[in-house]
């Protein structure tokens, strides 16, 4: 087995990985967008560092996702979050890749039973960045706000009912270009994406919104790695780069989503933080127009998987019909 390893490879590679590497590299599936590729390179670098693998022992396999091809309609109208994962699921299920790298906020809450989220990279900045103004208050009356996110649209209209949402789809560079072209007066982007791409936003007024008062999307800033459930070797390999605090928080946020029965039409903001063994989960549900909202939070032990569902039940019990009709708890 030793001759199959790169000279710097660790001797404690999970069982079966050395045999795979004797024939081919680890095949890492990713969307082909610039941000997805950056996150895939981060994952590959983490694997190489953790296991002492050579550059050519981890190979990126990009695919063009349906969500990246369809940019003229809201995601909720053409298939939802599955448009970000469908092509990768086909490749992973068919065995042409060994793992998929995902922006976790773009991953459906209910995933195929054949796959398992085996690891999360350390979470990046969870905040939203307002582009086009120094603050929400500084936006002119009736400003056009570019977004395709029901959450962001509802959040900003809850504070500024005069704001007019306009459809903004596309990758980070595309949306910045649309803003610069005057298709909207302002937009919001995830700080994590801007940071990972090294975007400096020259000449654009911007501000990072405080996550204490402006909650992000569930799982924002997190990168997850998915493998086939029955692939023990890859599960062990990927588990070696898992950031446990990130995993605990993201899984709590996803459990909340599952209990709420939210979909791509649901306007929900949520964020979990962990301190020691205690998780603090906060969430806000909005009506579609942002005119009504209900907020709540819960503190619970990290080994209490039922806590997010209790928060979901409490939020829905308080919420008016304009909100509850956007959720379908099972």
């Amino acid at each position: 087995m030793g001759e199959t390893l790169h000279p710097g490879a660790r001797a404690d590679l999970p069982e079966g990985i050395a045999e795979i590497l004797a024939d081919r590299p680890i095949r890492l599936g990713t969307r082909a967008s610039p941000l997805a590729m950056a996150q895939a390179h981060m994952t590959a670098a983490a694997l190489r560092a953790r296991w002492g693998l050579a550059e050519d022992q981890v190979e990126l396999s990009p695919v063009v996702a349906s969500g990246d091809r369809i940019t003229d309609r809201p995601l909720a109208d053409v298939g939802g979050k599955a448009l970000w994962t469908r092509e990768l699921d086909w490749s992973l299920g068919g065995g042409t890749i060994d793992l998929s790298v995902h922006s976790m906020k773009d991953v459906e809450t209910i995933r195929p039973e054949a796959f398992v989220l085996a690891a999360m990279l350390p979470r990046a900045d969870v905040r939203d960045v307002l582009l086009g103004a120094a603050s929400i208050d500084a936006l002119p009356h009736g400003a056009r706000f570019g977004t395709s996110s029901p959450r962001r649209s509802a959040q900003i209209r809850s504070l500024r009912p005069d704001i007019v949402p306009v459809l903004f789809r596309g990758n980070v560079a595309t949306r910045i270009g649309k803003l610069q072209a005057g298709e909207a007066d302002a937009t919001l982007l995830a700080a994590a994406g801007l940071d990972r791409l090294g975007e400096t936003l020259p000449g654009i007024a911007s501000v990072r919104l405080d996550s204490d008062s402006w909650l992000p999307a569930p799982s924002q800033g997190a990168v997850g790695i998915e493998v086939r459930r029955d692939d023990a070797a890859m599960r062990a390999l990927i588990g070696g780069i898992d950031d446990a605090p990130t995993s605990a928080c993201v899984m709590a946020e996803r459990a909340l989503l599952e209990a709420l029965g939210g979909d791509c039409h649901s306007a929900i903001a949520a964020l979990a933080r962990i301190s020691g063994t205690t998780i603090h989960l906060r969430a806000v549900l909005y009506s579609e127009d942002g005119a009504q909202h209900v907020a709540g939070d819960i503190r619970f032990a990290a080994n209490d998987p039922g806590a997010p569902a209790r928060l979901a039940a409490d939020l829905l019990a308080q919420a008016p019909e304009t909100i509850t009709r956007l959720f379908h708890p099972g």
Side-chain angles (χ1 to χ4, degrees), residues 192-310:
L194 293 172
D195 291 345
R196 287 167 180 155
L197 289 170
E199 292 283 357
T200 56
L201 306 174
I204 301 176
S206 65
V207 63
R208 298 191 180 213
L209 302 180
D210 186 355
S211 62
D212 286 337
S213 56
W214 182 282
L215 290 182
S219 304
Q220 186 157 305
V223 174
I225 304 100
E226 198 168 42
V227 301
R228 290 181 293 277
R229 189 175 296 275
D230 61 2
D231 191 341
M234 287 298 162
R235 289 183 69 170
L237 186 83
I238 301 308
I241 61 170
D242 181 48
D243 184 73
T246 298
S247 286
C249 291
V250 170
M251 297 314 288
E253 292 164 23
R254 286 175 61 79
L256 175 72
L257 284 178
E258 183 175 359
L260 286 167
D263 58 27
C264 285
H265 295 279
S266 309
I268 174 173
L271 180 64
R273 300 281 197 190
I274 189 167
S275 177
T277 60
T278 300
I279 294 176
H280 182 206
L281 176 61
R282 296 178 291 143
V284 186
L285 313 183
Y286 294 88
S287 61
E288 195 170 10
D289 61 2
Q292 295 177 293
H293 70 274
V294 59
D297 72 296
I298 189 171
R299 296 180 188 272
F300 57 97
N303 62 357
D304 179 3
R310 296 196 296 274

Side-chain angles (χ1 to χ4, degrees), residues 135-159:
S135 68
I136 292 173
D137 288 343
L139 288 167
H141 184 83
R144 295 163 301 151
F145 176 72
T147 187
S148 62
S149 163
R151 171 194 58 99
R152 286 172 171 157
S153 177
Q155 276 180 304
I156 200 159
R157 287 195 289 172
S158 74
L159 299 174

Side-chain angles (χ1 to χ4, degrees), residues 12-271:
D12 61 344
L13 275 172
E15 184 177 356
I17 294 298
E19 288 79 4
I20 292 171
L21 290 172
D23 296 324
R24 59 170 178 80
I26 304 299
R27 301 163 305 183
L28 187 157
T30 176
R31 286 166 48 201
S33 72
L35 177 56
M37 290 294 290
Q39 293 172 167
H41 280 294
M42 289 167 49
T43 303
L47 284 172
R48 294 183 185 111
R50 169 65 177 84
W51 299 108
L53 302 178
E55 186 76 18
D56 62 0
Q57 288 183 304
V58 183
E59 173 184 275
L60 269 58
S61 181
V63 302
V64 178
S66 299
D68 291 315
R69 289 196 297 266
I70 304 170
T71 60
D72 60 343
R73 285 160 286 172
L75 196 66
D77 294 346
V78 290
K81 290 184 177 181
L83 295 184
W84 300 124
T85 58
R86 182 167 60 192
E87 284 79 9
L88 286 172
D89 288 353
W90 290 341
S91 296
L92 187 58
T96 58
I97 60 174
D98 300 302
L99 56 106
S100 298
V101 178
H102 299 292
S103 289
M104 287 306 303
K105 75 170 184 175
D106 294 333
V107 177
E108 318 96 290
T109 307
I110 307 299
R111 296 290 293 138
E113 183 62 28
F115 307 143
V116 63
L117 287 161
M120 304 280 172
L121 298 185
R123 198 170 194 173
D125 191 336
V126 301
R127 291 176 293 177
D128 274 340
V129 181
L130 177 68
L131 278 67
S135 68
I136 292 173
D137 288 343
L139 288 167
H141 184 83
R144 295 163 301 151
F145 176 72
T147 187
S148 62
S149 163
R151 171 194 58 99
R152 286 172 171 157
S153 177
Q155 276 180 304
I156 200 159
R157 287 195 289 172
S158 74
L159 299 174
R160 290 283 306 273
D162 61 292
I163 295 293
V164 180
V166 296
L167 179 64
F168 251 37
R169 287 286 316 281
N171 62 33
V172 170
T174 297
R175 283 181 281 169
I176 292 174
K178 288 182 176 182
L179 182 67
Q180 292 173 319
E183 294 185 28
D185 299 302
T187 190
L188 283 165
L189 294 175
L194 293 172
D195 291 345
R196 287 167 180 155
L197 289 170
E199 292 283 357
T200 56
L201 306 174
I204 301 176
S206 65
V207 63
R208 298 191 180 213
L209 302 180
D210 186 355
S211 62
D212 286 337
S213 56
W214 182 282
L215 290 182
S219 304
Q220 186 157 305
V223 174
I225 304 100
E226 198 168 42
V227 301
R228 290 181 293 277
R229 189 175 296 275
D230 61 2
D231 191 341
M234 287 298 162
R235 289 183 69 170
L237 186 83
I238 301 308
I241 61 170
D242 181 48
D243 184 73
T246 298
S247 286
C249 291
V250 170
M251 297 314 288
E253 292 164 23
R254 286 175 61 79
L256 175 72
L257 284 178
E258 183 175 359
L260 286 167
D263 58 27
C264 285
H265 295 279
S266 309
I268 174 173
L271 180 64

